[in-house]
Amino acid sequence: QQQVKQSPQSLIVQKGGISIINCAYENTAFDYFPWYQQFPGKGPALLIAIRPDVSEKKEGRFTISFNKSAKQFSLHIMDSQPGDSATYFCAASRNSGNTPLVFGKGTRLSVIA
Amino acid sequence: DAGITQSPRHKVTETGTPVTLRCHQTENHRYMYWYRQDPGHGLRLIHYSYGVKDTDKGEVSDGYSVSRSKTEDFLLTLESATSSQTSVYFCAISALGQQYFGPGTRLTVT
């Protein structure tokens, strides 16, 4: 049973465009939703995270939108740049992040000039 | 990098041999985790620890054991490596409710 479903698997976006990655979860006990960015040969790096008491969180060009009733959350990358080309993972956990993360399967983003 | 190191970074071993991977942290974090990453599967939890000598199993724990005799080290052992354990292994810690990952160990079982 896949608890966090991520889409799309891959995404190609023009430089300057908006990249959107979506995730849906099943366990209503989840209360912490991070996004990770991973470059080839590197470990996942925490990008931005949200808790269900807010519907949106923005850090620079990265925004998480959260819809508690639909059990969905998404990552928006504004003004996408070639340097944003990486694999992005959504995740979820209980207990505000101390319990293990359940990950989506990842989205490979390519930003082309 | 949250002060996390993993060793070795790369290892090739033969089927049936025991292998131990080490995760070391420098900041006394209570929670530590081992995940494996495989194409098409994302990251999956193997084992985690919520304190010295306190560990629990994850989604893909079969064939793996862990030990944590001191706060800074979390060891993952493959008792008898199999080809299905060829993967990239990541250690993580939880700091202020957010998880940070180490650089990974690429393990190949031939």
Side-chain angles (χ1 to χ4, degrees), chain A residues 1 9 32 36 38 41-46 48-49 51 57 87 89 93 95-106, chain B residues 9 31 33 35 37-38 40-45 47-48 57 59 88 90 94-104 106:
Chain A
Q1 180 186 15
Q9 278 188 296
Y32 172 69
Y36 286 84
Q38 186 179 30
K42 303 293 186 182
L46 180 63
I48 186 172
R51 303 185 194 278
K57 182 175 181 180
T87 300
F89 293 95
S93 75
N95 194 23
S96 297
N98 285 327
T99 54
L101 292 167
V102 178
F103 283 86
K105 293 187 176 184
Chain B
R9 294 294 313 280
Y31 295 89
Y33 314 83
Y35 295 87
Q37 184 173 34
D38 304 288
H41 289 277
L43 290 101
R44 293 178 292 173
L45 180 73
H47 282 277
Y48 69 104
K57 295 179 179 181
E59 176 189 356
V88 181
F90 288 101
S94 179
L96 299 177
Q98 306 205 83
Q99 292 188 27
Y100 300 91
F101 285 78
R106 181 173 294 275

Coordinates of all heavy atoms in Angstrom, one line a residue, chain A residues 1 9 32 36 38 41-46 48-49 51 57 87 89 93 95-106, chain B residues 9 31 33 35 37-38 40-45 47-48 57 59 88 90 94-104 106:
Chain A
Q1 N 0.9 -1.2 0.0 CA 0.0 0.0 0.0 C 0.9 1.2 0.0 O 1.7 1.4 0.9 CB -0.9 0.0 1.2 CG -1.8 1.2 1.3 CD -2.5 1.3 2.6 OE1 -2.2 0.6 3.6 NE2 -3.6 2.1 2.7
Q9 N 6.0 11.5 -12.8 CA 7.3 10.9 -12.6 C 8.4 11.7 -13.2 O 9.5 11.7 -12.6 CB 7.3 9.5 -13.4 CG 6.6 8.4 -12.6 CD 6.8 7.1 -13.3 OE1 6.3 6.9 -14.4 NE2 7.6 6.2 -12.7
Y32 N 3.3 16.3 9.1 CA 4.5 16.9 8.7 C 4.8 16.5 7.2 O 4.8 15.3 6.9 CB 5.6 16.5 9.6 CG 7.0 17.0 9.2 CD1 7.3 18.3 9.2 CD2 7.9 16.1 8.8 CE1 8.6 18.8 8.8 CE2 9.2 16.5 8.4 CZ 9.5 17.8 8.4 OH 10.8 18.2 8.0
Y36 N 12.0 17.2 -0.6 CA 13.4 17.1 -0.7 C 13.9 17.2 -2.2 O 13.1 16.8 -3.1 CB 13.9 15.7 -0.2 CG 13.8 15.6 1.3 CD1 12.7 15.3 2.0 CD2 15.0 15.8 2.1 CE1 12.6 15.2 3.4 CE2 14.9 15.7 3.5 CZ 13.8 15.4 4.1 OH 13.7 15.3 5.5
Q38 N 17.1 16.3 -4.7 CA 18.3 15.4 -4.8 C 18.9 15.6 -6.1 O 18.3 15.4 -7.2 CB 17.9 14.0 -4.5 CG 19.1 13.0 -4.4 CD 18.7 11.6 -4.2 OE1 17.6 11.1 -4.6 NE2 19.5 10.9 -3.5
G41 N 24.1 11.5 -7.3 CA 25.3 11.2 -6.4 C 25.3 11.9 -5.1 O 26.2 11.7 -4.3
K42 N 24.2 12.6 -4.7 CA 24.1 13.3 -3.5 C 22.9 12.7 -2.6 O 22.0 12.1 -3.1 CB 23.9 14.8 -3.7 CG 25.0 15.4 -4.5 CD 26.3 15.4 -3.8 CE 27.3 16.2 -4.6 NZ 28.7 16.2 -4.0
G43 N 22.9 13.1 -1.3 CA 21.8 12.7 -0.5 C 20.7 13.7 -0.7 O 20.9 14.8 -1.1
P44 N 19.4 13.3 -0.3 CA 18.3 14.2 -0.4 C 18.5 15.4 0.5 O 19.0 15.2 1.6 CB 17.1 13.4 0.1 CG 17.6 12.0 -0.1 CD 19.0 12.0 0.1
A45 N 18.2 16.6 0.0 CA 18.4 17.8 0.8 C 17.0 18.4 1.1 O 16.2 18.6 0.2 CB 19.3 18.8 0.1
L46 N 16.7 18.7 2.4 CA 15.5 19.3 2.7 C 15.3 20.7 2.1 O 16.2 21.5 2.2 CB 15.4 19.5 4.3 CG 14.1 20.0 4.8 CD1 12.9 19.1 4.5 CD2 14.2 20.3 6.3
I48 N 11.8 22.4 1.7 CA 10.8 23.2 2.4 C 9.8 22.2 3.0 O 9.7 21.1 2.5 CB 10.1 24.1 1.3 CG1 9.1 25.0 2.0 CG2 9.4 23.3 0.2 CD1 8.5 26.1 1.1
A49 N 9.2 22.6 4.1 CA 8.2 21.7 4.7 C 7.0 22.4 5.3 O 7.1 23.6 5.5 CB 8.9 20.9 5.9
R51 N 3.3 22.1 7.8 CA 2.5 21.4 8.8 C 1.0 21.8 8.5 O 0.8 22.8 7.9 CB 2.9 21.7 10.2 CG 4.4 21.4 10.4 CD 4.8 21.6 11.8 NE 6.3 21.6 11.9 CZ 7.0 20.5 12.0 NH1 6.5 19.3 11.9 NH2 8.3 20.6 12.1
K57 N 3.0 27.7 2.2 CA 4.2 28.2 2.8 C 5.2 28.5 1.6 O 5.3 27.7 0.7 CB 4.9 27.1 3.7 CG 6.2 27.6 4.3 CD 6.7 26.6 5.3 CE 7.9 27.1 6.0 NZ 8.5 26.1 7.0
T87 N 15.9 15.6 -8.9 CA 14.8 14.8 -8.5 C 14.2 15.3 -7.3 O 14.9 15.6 -6.3 CB 15.2 13.3 -8.4 OG1 15.7 12.8 -9.6 CG2 14.0 12.4 -8.0
F89 N 11.4 14.8 -4.1 CA 10.6 13.8 -3.4 C 9.7 14.5 -2.4 O 10.1 15.4 -1.6 CB 11.5 12.9 -2.6 CG 12.3 11.9 -3.4 CD1 13.6 12.3 -3.8 CD2 11.8 10.7 -3.9 CE1 14.4 11.5 -4.5 CE2 12.6 9.9 -4.7 CZ 13.9 10.3 -5.0
S93 N 5.1 12.4 7.5 CA 5.3 11.6 8.7 C 4.3 12.1 9.8 O 3.7 13.1 9.7 CB 6.7 11.7 9.2 OG 7.0 13.0 9.8
N95 N 4.0 12.8 14.2 CA 4.8 13.3 15.3 C 5.7 14.4 14.9 O 6.9 14.4 15.4 CB 5.5 12.1 16.0 CG 6.1 12.4 17.3 OD1 5.6 13.4 18.0 ND2 7.1 11.7 17.8
S96 N 5.2 15.2 14.1 CA 6.0 16.4 13.7 C 7.4 16.1 13.2 O 8.3 16.9 13.4 CB 6.0 17.4 14.8 OG 4.7 17.9 15.2
G97 N 7.6 15.0 12.5 CA 8.8 14.8 11.8 C 9.8 13.9 12.5 O 10.8 13.5 12.0
N98 N 9.5 13.5 13.7 CA 10.4 12.6 14.4 C 10.2 11.1 14.0 O 11.1 10.3 14.1 CB 10.3 12.7 15.9 CG 11.0 14.0 16.4 OD1 12.0 14.4 15.9 ND2 10.4 14.6 17.5
T99 N 9.0 10.7 13.7 CA 8.8 9.4 13.2 C 9.3 9.3 11.7 O 9.5 10.3 11.1 CB 7.3 9.0 13.2 OG1 6.6 10.0 12.5 CG2 6.8 8.9 14.6
P100 N 9.6 8.1 11.3 CA 10.2 7.9 9.9 C 9.3 8.5 8.9 O 8.1 8.5 9.0 CB 10.3 6.4 9.8 CG 10.4 5.9 11.2 CD 9.5 6.8 12.0
L101 N 9.9 9.0 7.8 CA 9.2 9.5 6.7 C 8.8 8.4 5.7 O 9.4 7.4 5.5 CB 10.2 10.5 5.9 CG 10.6 11.8 6.6 CD1 11.7 12.4 5.9 CD2 9.4 12.7 6.7
V102 N 7.6 8.7 5.1 CA 7.1 7.9 4.0 C 7.2 8.7 2.8 O 6.7 9.9 2.7 CB 5.6 7.5 4.3 CG1 5.1 6.7 3.1 CG2 5.5 6.7 5.5
F103 N 7.9 8.2 1.8 CA 8.3 9.0 0.6 C 7.4 8.7 -0.6 O 7.0 7.5 -0.8 CB 9.7 8.8 0.2 CG 10.7 9.5 1.1 CD1 11.2 8.9 2.2 CD2 11.2 10.7 0.7 CE1 12.1 9.6 3.0 CE2 12.1 11.4 1.5 CZ 12.6 10.8 2.6
G104 N 7.2 9.7 -1.4 CA 6.7 9.4 -2.8 C 7.8 8.9 -3.6 O 9.0 8.9 -3.2
K105 N 7.5 8.5 -4.8 CA 8.5 7.8 -5.6 C 9.4 8.8 -6.4 O 10.4 8.3 -7.0 CB 7.9 6.8 -6.6 CG 7.2 5.6 -5.8 CD 6.7 4.6 -6.8 CE 6.2 3.4 -6.0 NZ 5.8 2.3 -6.8
G106 N 9.2 10.0 -6.3 CA 10.1 11.0 -6.9 C 9.6 11.5 -8.3 O 8.9 10.9 -9.0
Chain B
R9 N 31.8 4.9 1.6 CA 30.9 5.6 0.6 C 30.6 4.7 -0.5 O 29.5 4.9 -1.1 CB 31.6 6.9 0.1 CG 31.8 8.0 1.2 CD 30.5 8.6 1.7 NE 29.6 8.9 0.6 CZ 29.6 10.0 -0.2 NH1 30.6 10.9 0.1 NH2 28.8 10.2 -1.2
Y31 N 17.1 10.9 17.3 CA 16.5 10.0 16.3 C 17.5 9.8 15.1 O 18.0 10.8 14.6 CB 15.2 10.6 15.8 CG 14.1 10.7 16.8 CD1 14.0 11.8 17.6 CD2 13.2 9.7 17.0 CE1 13.0 11.9 18.6 CE2 12.2 9.7 17.9 CZ 12.1 10.9 18.7 OH 11.1 10.9 19.7
Y33 N 18.0 7.2 11.4 CA 17.2 6.3 10.5 C 18.2 5.8 9.4 O 19.1 6.4 9.0 CB 16.1 7.2 9.7 CG 15.3 8.1 10.6 CD1 15.8 9.3 11.0 CD2 14.1 7.7 11.1 CE1 15.1 10.2 11.8 CE2 13.4 8.5 12.0 CZ 13.9 9.8 12.3 OH 13.2 10.6 13.1
Y35 N 17.6 4.4 5.5 CA 16.7 4.2 4.3 C 17.5 3.6 3.2 O 18.8 3.8 3.1 CB 16.2 5.6 3.8 CG 15.3 6.3 4.8 CD1 15.8 7.2 5.7 CD2 13.9 6.2 4.7 CE1 15.0 7.9 6.6 CE2 13.0 6.9 5.5 CZ 13.6 7.7 6.5 OH 12.8 8.4 7.3
Q37 N 17.5 3.5 -1.2 CA 17.0 4.1 -2.4 C 17.2 3.3 -3.6 O 18.3 2.9 -3.9 CB 17.6 5.5 -2.6 CG 16.9 6.3 -3.7 CD 17.4 7.7 -3.9 OE1 18.5 8.0 -3.6 NE2 16.5 8.6 -4.3
D38 N 16.1 3.0 -4.3 CA 16.2 2.1 -5.5 C 15.3 2.8 -6.5 O 14.3 3.4 -6.3 CB 15.6 0.7 -5.2 CG 16.3 0.1 -4.0 OD1 17.5 -0.3 -4.3 OD2 15.7 -0.1 -2.9
G40 N 12.7 3.8 -9.0 CA 11.2 3.5 -9.1 C 10.6 3.3 -7.7 O 9.4 3.1 -7.6
H41 N 11.4 3.3 -6.6 CA 10.8 3.1 -5.3 C 11.0 4.2 -4.4 O 10.5 4.2 -3.2 CB 11.5 1.8 -4.7 CG 11.1 0.6 -5.3 ND1 9.9 -0.1 -5.0 CD2 11.7 -0.2 -6.2 CE1 9.8 -1.2 -5.7 NE2 10.9 -1.3 -6.5
G42 N 11.7 5.3 -4.7 CA 11.9 6.3 -3.8 C 12.8 5.8 -2.7 O 13.7 5.0 -2.9
L43 N 12.6 6.4 -1.5 CA 13.4 6.0 -0.3 C 12.4 5.2 0.6 O 11.3 5.6 0.8 CB 13.9 7.2 0.4 CG 15.0 7.9 -0.3 CD1 14.5 9.2 -1.0 CD2 16.1 8.3 0.7
R44 N 13.0 4.1 1.1 CA 12.2 3.2 2.0 C 12.9 3.0 3.3 O 14.1 2.7 3.3 CB 11.8 1.9 1.3 CG 10.9 2.1 0.1 CD 10.7 0.7 -0.6 NE 11.9 0.2 -1.2 CZ 12.0 -1.0 -1.8 NH1 11.0 -1.8 -1.8 NH2 13.1 -1.4 -2.4
L45 N 12.2 3.0 4.4 CA 12.8 2.8 5.7 C 13.2 1.4 6.0 O 12.4 0.5 5.8 CB 11.8 3.3 6.8 CG 12.3 3.2 8.2 CD1 13.3 4.3 8.5 CD2 11.1 3.3 9.2
H47 N 15.4 0.6 9.1 CA 15.3 0.6 10.6 C 15.5 2.0 11.1 O 16.0 2.8 10.4 CB 16.4 -0.3 11.2 CG 16.2 -1.8 11.2 ND1 15.5 -2.5 12.1 CD2 16.8 -2.7 10.3 CE1 15.5 -3.7 11.8 NE2 16.3 -3.9 10.7
Y48 N 15.0 2.2 12.3 CA 15.3 3.5 12.9 C 15.6 3.4 14.4 O 15.3 2.3 15.0 CB 14.2 4.5 12.6 CG 12.9 4.3 13.3 CD1 12.5 5.0 14.4 CD2 12.0 3.3 12.8 CE1 11.3 4.8 15.1 CE2 10.8 3.1 13.4 CZ 10.4 3.8 14.6 OH 9.2 3.6 15.2
K57 N 11.8 -1.7 13.5 CA 11.9 -2.1 12.2 C 11.1 -1.1 11.3 O 10.1 -0.5 11.7 CB 11.4 -3.5 12.0 CG 12.2 -4.5 12.7 CD 11.6 -5.9 12.5 CE 12.4 -7.0 13.2 NZ 11.8 -8.3 13.0
E59 N 9.8 -0.6 6.9 CA 9.1 -1.3 5.8 C 9.9 -2.4 5.2 O 9.3 -3.5 4.8 CB 8.7 -0.3 4.7 CG 8.1 -0.8 3.5 CD 7.9 0.3 2.4 OE1 8.3 1.4 2.6 OE2 7.5 -0.1 1.3
V88 N 21.5 2.1 -2.8 CA 22.2 3.2 -2.2 C 21.5 3.4 -0.8 O 20.3 3.5 -0.7 CB 22.0 4.5 -3.0 CG1 22.8 5.7 -2.3 CG2 22.6 4.3 -4.4
F90 N 21.0 5.4 2.7 CA 21.1 6.7 3.3 C 20.8 6.7 4.8 O 19.8 6.1 5.2 CB 20.2 7.7 2.7 CG 20.6 8.2 1.3 CD1 20.0 7.6 0.2 CD2 21.6 9.1 1.1 CE1 20.4 8.0 -1.1 CE2 22.0 9.5 -0.2 CZ 21.4 8.9 -1.3
S94 N 17.0 13.3 12.9 CA 16.0 14.3 13.0 C 16.5 15.4 14.0 O 16.9 15.1 15.1 CB 14.7 13.6 13.6 OG 13.7 14.6 13.8
A95 N 16.4 16.6 13.5 CA 16.8 17.7 14.3 C 15.6 18.7 14.3 O 15.2 19.2 13.3 CB 18.0 18.4 13.8
L96 N 15.1 19.0 15.5 CA 14.0 20.0 15.7 C 12.8 19.6 14.8 O 12.2 20.4 14.2 CB 14.5 21.4 15.3 CG 15.6 22.0 16.3 CD1 16.0 23.4 15.8 CD2 15.1 22.0 17.7
G97 N 12.6 18.2 14.7 CA 11.5 17.7 13.9 C 11.7 17.7 12.5 O 10.7 17.4 11.7
Q98 N 12.9 18.0 12.0 CA 13.1 17.9 10.5 C 14.2 16.9 10.3 O 15.2 16.8 11.0 CB 13.5 19.3 10.0 CG 12.5 20.3 10.3 CD 12.4 21.5 9.4 OE1 11.9 21.5 8.3 NE2 13.1 22.6 9.8
Q99 N 14.1 16.1 9.2 CA 15.1 15.1 8.9 C 16.1 15.5 7.9 O 15.7 16.1 6.8 CB 14.4 13.8 8.5 CG 13.6 13.2 9.6 CD 13.0 11.8 9.3 OE1 13.5 11.1 8.5 NE2 11.9 11.5 10.0
Y100 N 17.3 15.2 8.2 CA 18.5 15.6 7.3 C 19.2 14.3 7.0 O 19.4 13.4 7.8 CB 19.4 16.6 8.0 CG 18.7 17.9 8.4 CD1 18.0 18.0 9.6 CD2 18.6 18.9 7.4 CE1 17.3 19.2 9.9 CE2 17.9 20.1 7.7 CZ 17.3 20.2 9.0 OH 16.6 21.4 9.3
F101 N 19.7 14.2 5.7 CA 20.3 13.0 5.2 C 21.8 13.1 5.1 O 22.3 14.2 4.8 CB 19.7 12.6 3.9 CG 18.3 12.1 4.0 CD1 17.2 12.9 4.2 CD2 18.1 10.7 3.9 CE1 15.9 12.4 4.4 CE2 16.8 10.2 4.0 CZ 15.7 11.0 4.3
G102 N 22.4 12.0 5.2 CA 23.9 11.9 5.0 C 24.1 11.7 3.5 O 23.2 11.7 2.7
P103 N 25.4 11.6 3.1 CA 25.8 11.6 1.7 C 25.5 10.2 1.0 O 25.5 10.1 -0.2 CB 27.3 11.9 1.7 CG 27.7 11.4 3.0 CD 26.6 11.6 4.0
G104 N 25.2 9.2 1.8 CA 24.9 7.9 1.2 C 26.1 6.9 1.0 O 27.2 7.3 1.0
R106 N 26.9 3.7 -1.6 CA 26.5 2.8 -2.7 C 27.1 1.5 -2.5 O 28.3 1.3 -2.5 CB 27.0 3.5 -4.0 CG 26.6 2.7 -5.2 CD 26.9 3.4 -6.5 NE 26.2 4.6 -6.7 CZ 25.0 4.7 -7.2 NH1 24.4 3.6 -7.6 NH2 24.4 5.9 -7.3

